[in-house]
Amino acid sequence: MINISIPNPDITITQRKQIPKENEPVIKDIYGFIDFHLIPRDKGGIFLFFDKNEELLFVGKARKLRQRIKKHFEDNVSPIKNHRDEVNKIDICLVEDPMEREIYETYIINQLQSKYNVDKVFYR
């Protein structure tokens, strides 16, 4: 029997409004998120999108996390393209090994029953 546990997030970003101070530039938000700079550009891992009720919406993996996560909010082929406004929190787990990313992604999708993942689903 293989024992897998869901890793604790290394980074969590949530929707928030920027309250600009005097003479401070305003950061343009993407669907309410302004903290994408906290996500490493050159690290791989898995990411989890949650709604305001902490329900898991989507799980994904990436070789370059920041680029991939931002793409989910910008392109027209993302599985969450019609549900972007539901995302309230993003958890990021740094996982460099590609095989480990694949295992974690599949495990989390099925263990937490992700709402918008359609591939790798065994619980339906």
Side-chain angles (χ1 to χ4, degrees):
M1 177 91 177
I2 298 173
N3 188 11
I4 302 171
S5 60
I6 298 171
N8 291 325
D10 296 297
I11 302 159
T12 298
I13 62 173
T14 56
Q15 282 185 332
R16 66 184 182 100
K17 297 278 188 213
Q18 181 187 15
I19 303 168
K21 297 176 184 152
E22 192 173 324
N23 297 326
E24 182 181 79
V26 175
I27 300 171
K28 185 178 180 323
D29 72 274
I30 301 172
Y31 284 88
F33 292 96
I34 61 172
D35 292 327
F36 285 108
H37 65 280
L38 299 175
I39 305 168
R41 289 180 189 270
D42 58 346
K43 297 281 185 191
I46 55 172
F47 53 90
L48 297 86
F49 294 156
F50 293 92
D51 67 10
K52 64 183 177 198
N53 299 319
E54 293 289 317
E55 181 182 2
L56 182 61
L57 300 174
F58 185 79
V59 180
K61 65 182 181 313
R63 204 168 31 91
K64 294 184 178 185
L65 282 164
R66 187 187 311 179
Q67 181 180 334
R68 184 68 188 112
I69 292 170
K70 284 179 82 174
K71 221 172 178 65
H72 275 290
F73 291 96
E74 295 169 347
D75 70 16
N76 291 324
V77 295
S78 170
I80 65 157
K81 69 181 177 194
N82 298 324
H83 310 285
R84 292 176 177 141
D85 54 342
E86 293 178 44
V87 179
N88 186 61
K89 180 177 94 169
I90 304 170
D91 281 349
I92 296 119
C93 305
L94 302 176
V95 181
E96 284 300 318
D97 184 276
M99 178 143 342
E100 287 181 28
R101 286 195 297 259
E102 186 75 36
I103 291 167
Y104 279 132
E105 180 191 34
T106 304
Y107 180 76
I108 293 169
I109 287 169
N110 289 284
Q111 191 68 24
L112 300 181
Q113 298 189 359
S114 173
K115 191 172 179 181
Y116 298 123
N117 284 92
V118 291
D119 295 339
K120 303 177 186 176
V121 173
F122 302 116
Y123 61 86
R124 293 182 193 195

